Amino acid sequence: MESRYTEAVLDPVRNICLALPEAVEHIDGFGHNTFKINGKSFVISGESEKGFSLSFKSNRETQELLLQKEKYFTVGFPFKIRIGKTGMN
């Protein structure tokens, strides 16, 4: 169940994502709202005991700019994939 805070943050994100041509929203097996175009995820939201978070794909230049801000960090996955992510507590 999503908190009111999550709903308040997710609603504008949803509106922006779904305004893109061919964008769809999908709830993945972990219960994350995932926004995709042509089957490829570009924004994933999640909520845990640590709070609400957004993961989104970005190019390396944008990622480096975001990482200079306090709430952004990288998440490592196998095969050295890096995704920009923000926690919103």
Side-chain angles (χ1 to χ4, degrees):
M1 177 107 169
E2 294 178 351
S3 70
R4 285 185 183 190
Y5 177 78
T6 298
E7 291 176 26
V9 175
L10 187 56
D11 282 345
V13 170
R14 177 181 288 120
N15 291 338
I16 292 167
C17 291
L18 295 179
L20 297 170
E22 300 184 40
V24 296
E25 182 176 6
H26 169 76
I27 307 299
D28 69 14
F30 299 102
H32 301 142
N33 295 70
T34 305
F35 298 92
K36 298 182 175 191
I37 294 178
N38 295 325
K40 295 185 179 184
S41 301
F42 65 97
V43 174
I44 303 167
S45 72
E47 187 173 25
S48 71
E49 63 280 348
K50 294 182 181 180
F52 177 78
S53 66
L54 285 173
S55 298
F56 54 96
K57 293 189 177 182
S58 66
N59 61 33
R60 291 214 182 263
E61 183 178 282
T62 302
Q63 187 179 76
E64 293 306 317
L65 291 171
L66 291 171
L67 291 173
Q68 293 174 17
K69 299 187 182 288
E70 187 176 308
K71 291 206 173 223
Y72 292 85
F73 56 93
T74 59
V75 178
F77 289 97
F79 314 112
K80 299 185 180 179
I81 295 171
R82 296 174 68 196
I83 300 173
K85 184 174 183 175
T86 178
M88 304 175 93
N89 294 334

